[in-house]
Amino acid sequence: MKETILVALAAIRANALRSVLTTLGIVIGVGAVIAMVALGEGAQRRIQSQIERMGTNVLTVRPGQGFFRGVASGNRRLDEDDAYALRTELGHIYDIAPELESRLQVSYQRWNSSNSVVGTWPSYYDIYNHSMANGRWFDEGELQGRRRVAVLGANVPEDLGTPPGLLVGRTIQIRGIPFEVIGVLEEKGGAAWMQPDDQIFIPLSTAMYRVMGNRDRLRSIYVAAPSPEQLNAAWADIDRVVRRQHRLPPGEEADFSIQNSSDILQTFNESNETFTLLLAGIAGVSLLVGGIGIMNIMLVSVTERTREIGVRKALGATKTDILLQFLVEALVLCVLGGVLGVLAGVGGASLITRFASWDTVIAPQAVVIALIFSAGIGLFFGIWPARRAAILDPIDALRYE
Amino acid sequence: MEPQGVGTGNGKVVIRTQGLQKHYHLGAETVRAVQGVDLEIAAGEFVAIMGPSGSGKSTFMNLVGCLDTPTAGEYWLNGNKVSELSDDDLARVRNRDIGFVFQTFNLLPRATALHNVELPLIYAGTSARERKERATAKLVRVGLGDRMGHKPPELSGGQRQRVAIARALVNDPALLLADEPTGNLDSETSAEIMDIILELNRAGQTIVLVTHESDIARYATRQVHLKDGRVERDFLNEMVGV
Ligand SMILES: Nc1ncnc2c1ncn2[C@@H]1O[C@H](COP(=O)(O)OP(=O)(O)OP(=O)(O)O)[C@@H](O)[C@H]1O
Ligand SMILES: [Mg+2]
């Protein structure tokens, strides 16, 4: 067996460049899977910890029925009036914060960047457990006055090329409109598409009437109950108020949804699963292509070495000996590709973390599965060429030119 | 039909064939490459197989060397009937009992001389240490003790053929088969190679050698002439050696 592996390694080394090019398909496939799984895993952990930090006592009201489940039927939007109605009726028990979001051009002096701008109420700060690094959060007076004040996420000052301390009190342009920076938040960390550190927060009224052009379709309204035990009561209260706002008779299907943190987590997990499945598909295709490449090169290798096979058979190699020789060669090629792929994936994941500041987590299971999978590819796509070598007639093989 | 035994060896029969036939089918046509060869070769004999091109010499050698199975007839090697063995059993017989020397050397070009000679022992499952010892001994015996680390492209034709002879001997086979071993060599180198082969025979090695040169055949103790796949003449050489 040791001999067989040595022979395989020698054959691979003899055609080093060809071998490396051949394994590229496997390397890319495995690398992509490792990096993407790391990304998905990282997002999952981050979301989980964010939701845990936000507390389990927050309900999220969204327009339409379920968010990812089925087709969102309601065209009825969630607007500022809904938020005010909730605050008027329930504001003495719960913290309430609507959210309006849009990606906009932001500039400061010669610096430009494109950021997610969130219009909300002062209560958003407590619901999200934010804390200030510099300056302060905006207040109710600024909301009512539609003041042009902005609080920046932790990464935004860097986008604008200025240290956080120096930005507070300065004027930045959001979509060309001047805003005074009144504060910078502590770093929160991000995950996948949720990047609070890259966001800019402004009063909802300012966002609606000065920046986003009377757009009043809210993305969501957050309602925080004082304790998790009150969630059921809160759910019923919200349902009652929003139904009345939307003039829905009892029994009619709601055109909005109310989710608690575990619902959101589940929704996220479902979309994460879809993402993973998609990924698995892509990985499968690239590994299939990689495997076919291996099979192709093994067939070439068998043909090139027909004479060698004849010699080995004349000297006493059995079918099994020859089969093993070529199977091990294919296996070594694939496992080599798998190992390189894992390295590429780990490297890619750390680059993503470094430059996109998305969390990534390398799961050991993913590495093990990737390696086992590439070995499987080697066996599956190597067996046919190896069998062709094994059943060669020694005389024909010896005579082969 | 009684096998013809001319017998110059020590009596123990190494090869015995009875009505050995090999046919090839090329479309509708049947080529009878070997048609009914009865032959007995005893241990210690040095037999030269001769005959015109296409007379079936190589085909016969392949049958005797267990590289091929006969269409009809029987073949005993060392008293064991091998004409009906499976492919893998034949591989084991080749590994244990037969050593081949080919016209075109058939060495692995990327392996050293030593590794080439070790090859049969690898398939015999011999330990690495014993392999190295035995392969070294055979290389020294053919006069290549100082070329063991060289690869075939770095060796001359005669040296390559000596590596091939060392390889054929490394398993101490009962039978050494050589199909035109000097066919690719000049006359001087041919003589060197034949001297080595002759010396092996003098040390007791049973040898069957295919050639169409009578100069080469003269080294043998016995000549078997084939024609159209049949034995035409079978006689002892009066004068042995040069
Ligand atoms: N694989 C094959 N398929 C068909 N016919 C074959 C095959 N091998 C040999 N033959 C035929 O069998 C006959 C004997 O061939 P063989 O190679 O044994 O001759 P030979 O005596 O070794 O000739 P040479 O001296 O030229 O090497 C020839 O007519 C040849 O064409
Ligand atoms: Mg021939």
Side-chain angles (χ1 to χ4, degrees):
Chain A
M1 197 60 208
K2 190 179 143 229
E3 292 300 325
T4 321
I5 293 172
L6 288 180
V7 168
L9 286 177
I12 289 169
R13 217 175 316 123
N15 286 301
L17 180 64
R18 191 171 85 183
S19 305
V20 167
L21 290 177
T22 303
T23 56
L24 222 51
I26 306 275
V27 174
I28 291 170
V30 169
V33 173
I34 295 285
M36 294 296 139
V37 167
L39 205 58
E41 194 81 10
Q44 182 120 2
R45 298 242 180 125
R46 170 62 68 185
I47 298 274
Q48 212 143 1
S49 75
Q50 246 166 24
I51 282 169
E52 275 158 18
R53 263 164 82 180
M54 206 169 112
T56 45
N57 56 339
V58 176
L59 291 176
T60 306
V61 188
R62 292 180 192 279
Q65 286 178 316
F67 188 47
F68 279 100
R69 282 163 265 177
V71 183
S73 67
N75 277 327
R76 181 70 166 85
R77 52 206 186 187
L78 220 47
D79 57 26
E80 203 188 11
D81 293 342
D82 296 328
Y84 274 116
L86 282 168
R87 184 155 89 168
T88 311
E89 295 214 19
L90 309 172
H92 57 290
I93 322 177
Y94 313 119
D95 270 344
I96 291 158
E99 183 186 61
L100 178 66
E101 192 259 349
S102 189
R103 184 160 279 277
L104 300 173
Q105 198 64 33
V106 179
S107 58
Y108 175 65
Q109 294 172 351
R110 62 193 169 87
W111 301 86
N112 266 293
S113 120
S114 160
N115 290 75
S116 152
V117 176
V118 173
T120 186
W121 288 352
S123 47
Y124 189 92
Y125 182 80
D126 288 328
I127 293 177
Y128 259 101
N129 277 335
H130 277 303
S131 37
M132 303 304 301
N134 297 84
R136 58 174 184 86
W137 187 255
F138 59 86
D139 60 27
E140 187 66 26
E142 284 159 331
L143 173 70
Q144 298 308 332
R146 299 181 189 176
R147 299 294 300 277
R148 294 187 312 259
V149 291
V151 176
L152 311 182
N155 291 340
V156 180
E158 202 187 322
D159 295 340
L160 299 177
T162 312
L166 291 183
L167 261 182
V168 176
R170 299 297 174 89
T171 301
I172 61 170
Q173 318 277 326
I174 298 177
R175 216 188 196 181
I177 301 159
F179 272 77
E180 184 195 345
V181 176
I182 57 168
V184 178
L185 291 172
E186 248 356 315
E187 187 170 346
K188 267 284 204 192
W193 56 87
M194 289 181 80
Q195 299 289 333
D197 291 337
D198 292 333
Q199 288 181 318
I200 293 174
F201 304 89
I202 61 176
L204 179 69
S205 51
T206 318
M208 281 171 62
Y209 301 108
R210 289 181 187 267
V211 182
M212 302 182 192
N214 282 342
R215 251 194 49 193
D216 62 349
R217 187 182 286 240
L218 296 179
R219 188 160 78 170
S220 45
I221 301 173
Y222 299 106
V223 178
S227 76
E229 286 73 48
Q230 278 155 280
L231 277 181
N232 282 341
W235 196 95
D237 288 340
I238 296 166
D239 190 59
R240 177 169 49 78
V241 173
V242 182
R243 271 177 181 277
R244 204 194 51 220
Q245 277 292 114
H246 290 192
R247 297 181 222 293
L248 293 170
E252 173 115 5
E253 223 177 325
D255 57 4
F256 58 93
S257 70
I258 308 169
Q259 298 174 311
N260 63 27
S261 354
S262 65
D263 286 338
I264 295 172
L265 196 61
Q266 189 177 341
T267 305
F268 175 77
N269 283 348
E270 275 166 21
S271 65
N272 209 27
E273 255 163 49
T274 315
F275 172 72
T276 308
L277 224 65
L278 194 78
L279 209 89
I282 295 168
V285 169
S286 80
L287 287 177
L288 185 76
V289 171
I292 292 171
I294 296 279
M295 180 155 76
N296 182 41
I297 220 66
M298 288 311 297
L299 284 173
V300 170
S301 179
V302 167
T303 308
E304 274 179 358
R305 286 150 71 196
T306 301
R307 218 180 156 100
E308 174 191 326
I309 295 164
V311 172
R312 288 179 182 276
K313 286 199 151 188
L315 299 181
T318 59
K319 279 184 193 156
T320 320
D321 289 327
I322 301 294
L323 187 89
L324 273 182
Q325 179 186 330
F326 284 93
L327 207 54
V328 167
E329 189 176 325
L331 203 68
V332 169
L333 267 181
C334 284
V335 171
L336 200 78
V339 170
L340 291 179
V342 167
L343 293 180
V346 171
S350 72
L351 284 184
I352 291 172
T353 306
R354 183 91 155 278
F355 292 108
S357 59
W358 288 11
D359 278 15
T360 52
V361 175
I362 303 287
Q365 307 98 285
V367 171
V368 172
I369 290 172
L371 289 180
I372 291 176
F373 211 79
S374 33
I377 296 254
L379 285 182
F380 185 80
F381 288 99
I383 192 89
W384 187 56
R387 235 188 77 77
R388 277 185 46 150
I391 61 175
L392 273 179
D393 183 66
I395 298 173
D396 291 343
L398 276 173
R399 212 181 274 149
Y400 183 84
E401 289 302 327
Chain B
M1 270 190 286
E2 264 299 298
Q4 310 160 308
V6 180
T8 48
N10 57 19
K12 191 171 165 274
V13 176
V14 176
I15 293 174
R16 191 155 83 92
T17 70
Q18 204 160 44
L20 205 62
Q21 298 193 23
K22 182 70 189 182
H23 301 168
Y24 293 107
H25 298 278
L26 290 172
E29 198 191 344
T30 302
V31 180
R32 295 175 202 281
V34 171
Q35 32 186 339
V37 171
D38 306 317
L39 202 66
E40 220 172 67
I41 295 174
E45 276 196 287
F46 180 179
V47 179
I49 309 274
M50 297 202 55
S53 185
S55 56
K57 304 184 294 293
S58 294
T59 307
F60 178 70
M61 281 292 261
N62 290 339
L63 290 173
V64 168
C66 293
L67 280 169
D68 210 352
T69 46
T71 312
E74 281 153 1
Y75 169 32
W76 288 266
L77 179 68
N78 274 337
N80 303 315
K81 191 166 177 180
V82 291
S83 42
E84 280 153 16
L85 290 181
S86 71
D87 288 352
D88 279 356
D89 286 333
L90 287 176
R92 266 167 228 125
V93 171
R94 290 196 292 273
N95 184 246
R96 220 179 327 115
D97 300 327
I98 297 168
F100 290 98
V101 178
F102 303 94
Q103 178 176 353
T104 50
F105 320 133
N106 279 332
L107 300 173
L108 301 189
R110 282 196 290 265
T112 61
L114 185 67
H115 186 84
N116 266 293
V117 177
E118 281 185 32
L119 216 50
L121 296 175
I122 288 174
Y123 292 117
T126 312
S127 76
R129 229 194 66 214
E130 192 185 339
R131 270 196 330 246
K132 188 161 181 208
E133 250 165 45
R134 284 170 64 178
T136 306
K138 299 297 176 188
L139 277 166
V140 169
R141 186 165 171 190
V142 297
L144 284 180
D146 55 342
R147 290 281 189 280
M148 293 196 291
H150 290 230
K151 292 175 180 173
E154 304 156 8
L155 297 171
S156 73
Q159 287 170 330
R160 287 184 215 183
Q161 197 59 300
R162 286 198 238 175
V163 174
I165 292 172
R167 181 178 68 184
L169 294 175
V170 77
N171 265 346
D172 297 320
L175 182 61
L176 181 69
L177 297 178
D179 193 345
E180 314 226 21
T182 58
N184 278 14
L185 303 174
D186 60 47
S187 56
E188 202 176 315
T189 319
S190 293
E192 280 170 35
I193 293 295
M194 286 317 296
D195 285 339
I196 292 174
I197 291 177
L198 185 62
E199 203 181 301
L200 291 172
N201 176 245
R202 290 211 169 122
Q205 178 69 54
T206 313
I207 297 170
V208 179
L209 176 145
V210 168
T211 184
H212 51 251
E213 292 173 58
S214 44
D215 281 358
I216 300 291
R218 275 215 308 275
Y219 284 84
T221 53
R222 174 181 165 192
Q223 294 188 21
V224 174
H225 287 246
L226 295 184
K227 197 176 179 211
D228 298 333
R230 287 199 177 84
V231 176
E232 189 196 31
R233 286 199 304 148
D234 182 353
F235 58 93
L236 297 180
N237 274 351
E238 293 111 43
M239 287 240 301
V240 176
V242 265

